[in-house]
Amino acid sequence: MRAIRLHAPGGIEGLRLDEIAPPQPRQGHALVRVHAAAITRGELDWPSDRLPAIPSYELSGVVVEDSDGFSAGEEVFALTPFDRDGVAAEYALVPVEVLAPKPGSLSHVQAAALPMPGLSAWQALFVHGRLTAGERFYVTGAHGGVGHVAVQLGRSRGAVLVEDGQPCDLLFDTVGGQALAHSASRAGRIVTIAAEAPGADYFIVEPNREDLAEVGRLADTGNLSPEIDSVFPHARAGEAFIRTAARGKHGKVVLAVVE
């Protein structure tokens, strides 16, 4: 199979499109034909204890053969674990515990753009932030990749989005720095994914099938729509990573593995 692999740390110069052996099925995992894989800003600089390594941890694709509750031909999407190879390849071996049915209303490209921002926003608002209907919430970076999803999720649960400068029950910070400092004093609870800060609950998103299934159901009801900045062919992954770092980007950058 063809796979994008990072051969040396430090950026896109270390990326290559390689021909490698496909992963071998094993218990507790599903072999997925990857149709689309989304990428995240800065992930080529994430610590890695082995190279070459496949980047991208968000996928949408089709299960190749029956496996632990999933049937061959079933469309799935997932945020995959960060402690192993990613999914910018024609095939990926994915733990079934993180796979969820792909929303039928979304294309593979759209579905691949949803797991990281969708789970980040869901876990921030409802797991860490305990946001409930009728509460007021504010999101720093509300037009960003995670922020625009958080706005939609909060409203879907009956919470009220407030404007900058107004008091709120929950502040969800996606930016950090001055944006967080400016709003913190007016918030009852603060959750952040930007950086550790006094008085704030800082967390790193975790793959979770149940949370992702809820996000997918909201997409199918029309209450959630992922924003896509651009789509690149699999072989042009270097250009895609350049785009993730560009100013003025809106939404996710996605690799179309199957065009």
Side-chain angles (χ1 to χ4, degrees):
M1 70 173 186
R2 297 192 307 167
I4 299 297
R5 295 201 297 176
L6 181 67
H7 287 261
I12 62 170
E13 296 81 7
L15 285 177
R16 298 180 199 164
L17 180 62
D18 294 337
E19 190 76 29
I20 64 173
Q24 296 301 306
R26 67 175 187 264
Q27 186 69 28
H29 293 70
L31 184 62
V32 177
R33 176 66 167 102
V34 180
H35 283 237
I39 58 179
T40 300
R41 179 186 178 97
E43 72 171 273
L44 297 183
D45 297 320
W46 292 354
S48 177
D49 59 1
R50 77 281 178 273
L51 292 173
I54 301 174
S56 175
Y57 294 88
E58 300 168 89
L59 68 78
S60 180
V62 176
V63 175
V64 175
E65 57 187 40
D66 293 355
S67 179
D68 292 331
F70 289 92
S71 301
E74 187 171 352
E75 294 185 328
V76 293
F77 75 141
L79 175 66
T80 61
F82 303 127
D83 62 351
R84 63 191 72 189
D85 265 337
V87 297
E90 292 180 320
Y91 294 92
L93 197 61
V94 183
V96 294
E97 64 186 13
V98 304
L99 276 177
K102 182 184 81 67
S105 62
L106 302 184
S107 68
H108 283 294
V109 166
Q110 290 173 314
L114 193 52
M116 182 84 80
L119 285 173
S120 296
W122 181 276
Q123 292 170 9
L125 295 180
F126 307 128
V127 178
H128 294 268
R130 308 178 306 282
L131 184 66
T132 59
E135 286 194 309
R136 299 165 297 173
F137 74 109
Y138 178 68
V139 181
T140 64
H143 297 291
V146 174
H148 84 280
V149 173
V151 168
Q152 296 175 76
L153 288 181
R155 285 172 166 166
S156 76
R157 283 293 189 92
V160 179
L161 182 69
V162 302
E163 296 182 357
D164 184 22
Q166 294 182 332
C168 61
D169 298 293
L170 175 65
L171 166 64
F172 175 30
D173 169 57
T174 70
V175 180
Q178 289 299 315
L180 172 57
H182 173 71
S183 303
S185 63
R186 291 182 289 274
R189 307 184 301 276
I190 303 172
V191 176
T192 180
I193 57 172
E196 293 185 12
D201 179 356
Y202 169 72
F203 79 100
I204 296 173
V205 63
E206 295 182 355
N208 185 290
R209 177 170 60 186
E210 289 75 23
D211 291 348
L212 188 59
E214 290 291 337
V215 170
R217 279 191 280 271
L218 286 172
D220 274 340
T221 62
N223 289 309
L224 177 60
S225 178
E227 185 174 358
I228 297 171
D229 175 85
S230 49
V231 182
F232 290 82
H234 190 207
R236 291 168 54 193
E239 296 173 56
F241 274 102
I242 290 173
R243 179 59 189 167
T244 65
R247 300 188 66 174
K249 180 177 70 67
H250 295 285
K252 293 290 290 188
V253 177
V254 181
L255 298 174
V257 182
V258 174
E259 298 182 58

